[in-house]
Amino acid sequence: MVGTIKQQLYVTGIPKGLTMTVTQLNLLPPDPPKEWRATLYDSAERQRFAPFTIDPSVNQGYVGEVKMYGAHAFPRSYLPAMSTSLLKAHSIFSNSLGARLEILWKLTGTPTGRVGDADFEVTTDPADDTVVHPPLKPEGSDPGDQAPPTVDPNDPDTWATKLDQVGSADPREEPVRSGRFIVETTKWGLIQRPDYVAVVYQVGSATPLRVVSKVAATIIDQPDDALFVIGVNSNTQEIGINGVQDKAVSDTLVSYLIKGIFYVHEKAFGWVFGKFW
């Protein structure tokens, strides 16, 4: 299908003793489902339905593939015969934001993980909890042979999801046992894919962050994978989640969590914290 975007999601680290369950999958407004689609599929290309659990030891914590596309797609050979009014009536030809898929999740259990005889206790480093949030992609990533973007991913108006207006993932829960991902794109052009794809990540009512990926002009190339790592700090009774686009970086974050550190990695998009107990 012309213009289909496929975003892969993984959760590669969860503290031992906790179970992560996806509880709801919601197509968010303002884009009506009759115009746009955003659907989650498993590794066998079957549509996923909540609830289901995520286990980092199974298929590397694969959450699924979010496919985003217009509900009406036409072969390019049909275009000369289609009227301007008809083209504007179909989302695949519209200069507008596409659908957003919200993935709500919760954690159950008690973090009891151990490595050898060492307790799984997480502390933060550096001490001031400084969050390094790259403006687009982490420094050192290769943008590839891509056309210049037409939008600024750092401009809040670029996205349908406003980070400072996102409410609690589950207002009924305090302390935090829940979180969310929101997969979205910037505007689609006339038979053109959007410039960027983002995965918003959040715990509780904390202000979320985004993992942002540049979209290549060709329909073959897809956004970078989005991988997430979750840790808990038993001293401050906090939960933290961080997003990356490189399996080696996520492995590094997990290795530091096991040692008791929320590591601020230059190629990660930043920690989001919330009270867990």
Side-chain angles (χ1 to χ4, degrees):
M1 177 177 290
V2 176
T4 301
I5 297 292
K6 301 176 182 179
Q7 176 66 67
Q8 308 286 343
L9 298 179
Y10 296 83
V11 177
T12 58
I14 300 172
K16 291 182 179 180
L18 296 180
T19 298
M20 184 177 190
T21 302
V22 171
T23 57
Q24 293 184 48
L25 300 172
N26 302 313
L27 192 64
L28 298 181
D31 311 293
K34 68 179 181 180
E35 293 294 336
W36 295 98
R37 298 284 188 270
T39 308
L40 185 67
Y41 294 88
D42 65 14
S43 57
E45 298 188 354
R46 299 169 299 195
Q47 184 174 351
R48 302 207 79 166
F49 299 93
F52 59 89
T53 59
I54 303 299
D55 185 346
S57 67
V58 178
N59 200 14
Q60 300 181 353
Y62 190 57
V63 178
E65 176 184 81
V66 179
K67 292 185 180 180
M68 295 167 283
Y69 51 91
H72 306 284
F74 297 90
R76 296 181 70 104
S77 59
Y78 288 6
L79 296 181
M82 298 178 69
S83 68
T84 301
S85 60
L86 183 58
L87 290 178
K88 291 181 178 179
H90 293 88
S91 61
I92 196 65
F93 304 106
S94 300
N95 185 22
S96 62
L97 295 166
R100 296 178 293 157
L101 184 67
E102 178 185 56
I103 302 171
L104 295 176
W105 52 265
K106 69 176 181 180
L107 295 171
T108 55
T110 302
T112 58
R114 291 173 177 268
V115 177
D117 295 327
D119 289 335
F120 186 88
E121 293 185 354
V122 181
T123 56
T124 56
D125 182 31
D128 60 1
D129 296 346
T130 301
V131 174
V132 177
H133 184 207
L136 173 56
K137 291 185 63 175
E139 183 180 352
S141 59
D142 183 7
D145 185 14
Q146 301 175 3
T150 59
V151 297
D152 180 3
N154 301 303
D155 183 353
D157 291 336
T158 295
W159 306 99
T161 303
K162 311 304 180 186
L163 298 184
D164 59 351
Q165 298 175 16
V166 176
S168 175
D170 189 344
R172 299 169 300 175
E173 290 199 4
E174 184 62 38
V176 173
R177 289 277 176 167
S178 58
R180 62 156 58 91
F181 303 120
I182 300 175
V183 186
E184 62 180 339
T185 69
T186 55
K187 285 185 177 181
W188 297 65
L190 297 176
I191 324 179
Q192 293 175 343
R193 305 201 300 173
D195 287 320
Y196 299 100
V197 175
V199 183
V200 175
Y201 57 103
Q202 179 192 33
V203 292
S205 58
T207 300
L209 295 176
R210 283 189 178 96
V211 171
V212 181
S213 181
K214 180 74 173 67
V215 177
T218 64
I219 63 174
I220 297 177
D221 294 328
Q222 295 296 337
D224 295 324
D225 295 348
L227 305 93
F228 298 92
V229 172
I230 297 173
V232 292
N233 184 334
S234 57
N235 293 326
T236 63
Q237 299 183 332
E238 288 181 307
I239 180 175
I241 182 171
N242 205 338
V244 304
Q245 293 173 320
D246 187 311
K247 182 61 165 58
V249 177
S250 73
D251 290 345
T252 297
L253 294 181
V254 170
S255 69
Y256 272 94
L257 286 171
I258 292 173
K259 297 175 183 178
I261 300 170
F262 277 120
Y263 182 56
V264 180
H265 199 294
E266 64 178 1
K267 291 187 177 181
F269 285 81
W271 288 101
V272 176
F273 292 101
K275 275 293 185 181
F276 188 70
W277 278 268

